[in-house]
Amino acid sequence: MNDLRFMELVSGWLDGSLSETESAELQATLEDSADRRSEFVDVCGLDADLRLMSDVQYQHVAQASVRNDRPVVHSLALRASKWILVVATAAVLLLAIGYGIGRDRNSDAKRQIATSEAASTQQDETVESGCAVLSRVVDAKFAGDTQYEEGDSLQPGQFKLLSGAVQIDFFSGATMLIAEAADVNLISSWEAECAHGKVTMRVPPPAIGFRLNLPEMKVVDLGTEFAVQVDGGESSLHVFEGEVEAYVPGSQMQVIREGNSLKKAKDRGVVAGVSTPADFPSVEEFERRKEEYYQRKTNQWRVAMNKVLSDERIIGCYQFRRWPDKKWDRLVNNFVIPKRPYSHGSAVGARWVEGRWPGKPALEFKSPGDRVRINLKRDKYEGLALAAWIRVDGLDRKYNALLMSDRYEDGEPHWQIDQSGRLMFSVSYDRSSPPGGKTDKGNRQSQVFYSPPLFGASDRRWHHVAVTFDARTGEAVQYFDGKEVSREGSDHHREGRTVTFGACEIGNWGLPPEGVPFPIRNLNGRVDELLIYKVPLSGDEISNLHELGIPN
């Protein structure tokens, strides 16, 4: 058989077009010639490479020989001898390990691209330099000017707690509970020092080998729960579960097992004893303290809010309280005194979640349909103040709504966060009509005010935001966590202007005018309090509102 005929038969076999006679001819040739079998394997490998390179789905040789919709190939497969099986197996093996120079070059190119992309990514991304996360905080006070919040990343260095309780999760997987006064030095994800106080450690299997150093002792965990106490010149170790290695200067290493303790004082010998779990921080004690603290916090907050509700200047106080009666699940009450039933809100899509602290409800906004509808009527005021507790989970939109009037007509406000993380407040005014005259929608001009960037793309922390606007002067002041962050007047201001609200939405924009850019402005985050005043508040008043609602 000449080369041309052989290649015709192989090509027909690969695309499944051989007749029964041709299949028999190819089979006989492969059985008789080792060279032809080698050529057959090479061609099969080349065919596979070409299919892969052209993004055509490749079905390997063994499958091609048994396609049900091609009876002639199926017949060939049934009659295939051991040589056909050997050849098919060889072809598959070649495909598995790569074939020829073309594939090697392609792989090299892909590796070079991957390396280049990885280097670029490493340059662009921020590297986490911390060693642990502060996962829980209960009524805690810290030394110095540094104040911590739940979720903070902790850098290596001193961590001094004056009172309260905290939980630290090391990146290695080890967990540390601290209650009351303690002085700890974080060294790395795998090591810490306790200079003073009581500390309980929980070390799961991935963190075995975690080291905790004391003034008179070094402890290496073997997968366990243990606690230490450092008081003056005395260091003690108590093992509640599993075992640890204890290294005391001048003594051999000891393995301390469950139920046992070891005490070492300066200039004194080592004293063995029994562990006392009740004397140290525990998860159960931590949860009990947390529940009691936040119950007190909720009661104190409600008492203080009663004074806010009765302020004659407030027209909206949405506390996002969820009622036990499920049929009112969508109701978002306005709690101002005297009551204004017409101004109660209706939640659409948004779901109830945990707010600033455990037991404090909030509404979560995620999809373009999530919102709270409210109506404050169209009374006119000489100014306003807006204050809210929010958690931003992402800045998905060009503009992310906090409180938006439906039509954005004359004197109506919009309060948003732009995609760069700036608070953005604006009021729509007609720039040609006299005060009280007919509004020309085509001649509308907004007074727009921005804060500096305040939110990251995924902040996920609770913040108090506020804005005040004086319609008599055109000045807007914005606040973040009780502190003024911007103060600005408008070049477009005119005397005699007022503000109004009408129908509005919390967390979305309900009825944007036709053709407006970026009509989808839903918030990605949570809201658990919104206050609306008919006058601008002072900076001290905004600061007091922030202090009143601080989660911890």
Side-chain angles (χ1 to χ4, degrees):
M1 180 183 295
N2 61 35
D3 292 341
L4 179 60
R5 177 57 179 167
F6 177 72
M7 291 306 299
E8 288 177 350
L9 292 175
V10 174
S11 178
W13 187 87
L14 288 170
D15 64 21
S17 63
L18 290 184
S19 66
E20 229 176 299
T21 301
E22 291 170 329
S23 296
E25 185 180 357
L26 175 61
Q27 178 181 336
T29 300
L30 294 174
E31 289 177 349
D32 293 340
S33 172
D35 290 339
R36 290 303 191 194
R37 290 194 295 273
S38 178
E39 290 178 43
F40 180 78
V41 171
D42 290 344
V43 172
C44 288
L46 180 60
D47 176 75
D49 278 344
L50 291 173
R51 290 176 184 270
L52 290 171
M53 292 169 65
S54 61
D55 293 327
V56 175
Q57 184 179 3
Y58 174 75
Q59 298 184 2
H60 83 54
V61 179
Q63 291 176 326
S65 68
V66 292
R67 292 176 183 164
N68 292 330
D69 59 341
R70 295 183 181 177
V72 293
V73 179
H74 181 63
S75 174
L76 172 64
L78 291 175
R79 298 169 51 216
S81 68
K82 64 181 180 179
W83 290 113
I84 293 292
L85 296 176
V86 169
V87 169
T89 302
V92 172
L93 288 174
L94 280 174
L95 288 173
I97 63 175
Y99 178 84
I101 297 174
R103 175 171 298 178
D104 292 339
R105 288 178 178 171
N106 189 42
S107 298
D108 289 342
K110 288 181 178 178
R111 283 194 292 269
Q112 291 172 2
I113 293 172
T115 302
S116 175
E117 289 177 345
S120 174
T121 300
Q122 289 171 359
Q123 291 175 356
D124 296 341
E125 290 184 348
T126 301
V127 178
E128 173 58 68
S129 59
C131 63
V133 174
L134 190 62
S135 59
R136 292 197 286 187
V137 179
V138 177
D139 196 18
K141 292 180 175 58
F142 304 95
D145 297 331
T146 303
Q147 296 301 312
Y148 298 97
E149 297 180 11
E150 285 190 1
D152 279 350
S153 179
L154 300 178
Q155 306 295 317
Q158 185 183 40
F159 183 90
K160 193 169 184 178
L161 180 69
L162 300 180
S163 63
V166 299
Q167 176 177 318
I168 297 175
D169 293 341
F170 288 86
F171 290 167
S172 62
T175 296
M176 174 183 286
L177 293 178
I178 309 175
E180 303 310 332
D183 188 357
V184 174
N185 183 32
L186 309 180
I187 298 175
S188 72
S189 300
W190 291 89
E191 186 173 8
E193 293 177 348
C194 180
H196 173 75
K198 295 180 179 180
V199 168
T200 299
M201 297 294 309
R202 179 70 182 179
V203 182
I208 288 176
F210 185 89
R211 300 175 298 278
L212 185 60
N213 303 325
L214 314 178
E216 299 296 329
M217 189 185 310
K218 296 183 184 296
V219 179
V220 178
D221 188 88
L222 303 178
T224 183
E225 181 178 348
F226 69 93
V228 300
Q229 180 177 7
V230 178
D231 187 5
E234 185 174 274
S235 300
S236 61
L237 164 68
H238 297 249
V239 180
F240 308 143
E241 181 182 323
E243 58 187 25
V244 302
E245 294 176 349
Y247 296 84
V248 177
S251 302
Q252 291 184 337
M253 183 274 291
Q254 300 184 53
V255 175
I256 311 301
R257 294 183 171 82
E258 180 176 335
N260 296 314
S261 68
L262 196 68
K263 183 184 297 184
K264 175 66 172 71
K266 191 174 183 179
D267 300 327
R268 295 182 185 177
V270 177
V271 178
V274 178
S275 64
T276 55
D279 294 339
F280 294 92
S282 66
V283 173
E284 294 77 16
E285 175 66 12
F286 193 100
E287 289 299 326
R288 184 189 65 78
R289 292 184 60 166
K290 181 178 179 179
E291 183 177 352
E292 291 178 353
Y293 170 76
Y294 283 118
Q295 185 60 56
R296 292 196 308 271
K297 174 69 177 177
T298 300
N299 293 337
Q300 293 168 359
W301 172 76
R302 286 179 177 170
V303 170
M305 285 301 295
N306 286 335
K307 297 179 181 179
V308 175
L309 302 178
S310 57
D311 188 329
E312 62 180 11
R313 301 172 299 170
I314 193 168
I315 59 175
C317 179
Y318 299 92
Q319 296 182 358
F320 295 85
R321 291 180 64 181
R322 189 179 186 185
W323 304 104
D325 190 341
K326 291 184 179 179
K327 69 182 180 181
W328 296 110
D329 183 64
R330 300 286 84 190
L331 182 65
V332 181
N333 289 81
N334 183 358
F335 285 95
V336 295
I337 300 172
K339 295 181 179 180
R340 304 182 182 205
Y342 66 85
S343 61
H344 291 328
S346 176
V348 180
R351 67 188 187 95
W352 291 103
V353 293
E354 186 175 87
R356 277 169 283 166
W357 58 76
K360 172 71 178 74
L363 277 176
E364 182 177 63
F365 303 82
K366 289 295 181 184
S367 75
D370 295 348
R371 63 197 68 204
V372 175
R373 296 283 303 166
I374 62 174
N375 195 325
L376 297 173
K377 293 188 175 181
R378 296 193 57 80
D379 296 334
K380 297 183 183 298
Y381 310 108
E382 292 185 338
L384 59 76
L386 308 174
W389 278 98
I390 64 172
R391 194 188 90 171
V392 174
D393 294 341
L395 298 172
D396 303 344
R397 310 296 181 190
K398 178 70 173 178
Y399 305 110
N400 305 268
L402 296 177
L403 180 68
M404 309 281 282
S405 61
D406 275 1
R407 302 301 302 177
Y408 199 43
E409 295 178 340
D410 194 55
E412 294 183 348
H414 272 182
W415 193 25
Q416 308 168 80
I417 305 170
D418 73 6
Q419 204 161 30
S420 66
R422 300 180 298 177
L423 287 169
M424 174 182 172
F425 175 77
S426 61
V427 182
S428 176
Y429 286 116
D430 178 71
R431 55 184 165 185
S432 59
S433 300
K438 184 178 180 181
T439 299
D440 179 4
K441 292 185 179 179
N443 203 28
R444 186 178 301 159
Q445 186 173 47
S446 296
Q447 295 183 214
V448 185
F449 308 90
Y450 293 94
S451 75
L454 300 168
F455 295 92
S458 183
D459 189 88
R460 299 184 67 84
R461 293 186 183 177
W462 285 99
H463 293 287
H464 187 258
V465 293
V467 61
T468 64
F469 178 70
D470 192 333
R472 298 166 298 180
T473 63
E475 182 181 65
V477 185
Q478 304 203 65
Y479 300 85
F480 186 75
D481 287 339
K483 297 180 179 179
E484 180 181 320
V485 292
S486 69
R487 179 183 294 266
E488 187 179 0
S490 172
D491 295 335
H492 309 297
H493 177 68
R494 294 187 179 186
E495 294 183 0
R497 285 177 167 171
T498 58
V499 294
T500 188
F501 291 94
C504 302
E505 287 193 349
I506 303 169
N508 214 324
W509 190 7
L511 299 172
E514 185 176 351
V516 70
F518 311 108
I520 300 177
R521 304 190 183 188
N522 62 287
L523 178 69
N524 178 3
R526 301 180 180 187
V527 181
D528 79 351
E529 180 179 301
L530 173 65
L531 306 180
I532 304 172
Y533 291 82
K534 61 183 179 181
V535 298
L537 300 184
S538 69
D540 288 341
E541 289 175 311
I542 296 295
S543 179
N544 290 337
L545 289 176
H546 168 250
E547 290 292 328
L548 174 63
I550 292 176
N552 199 324

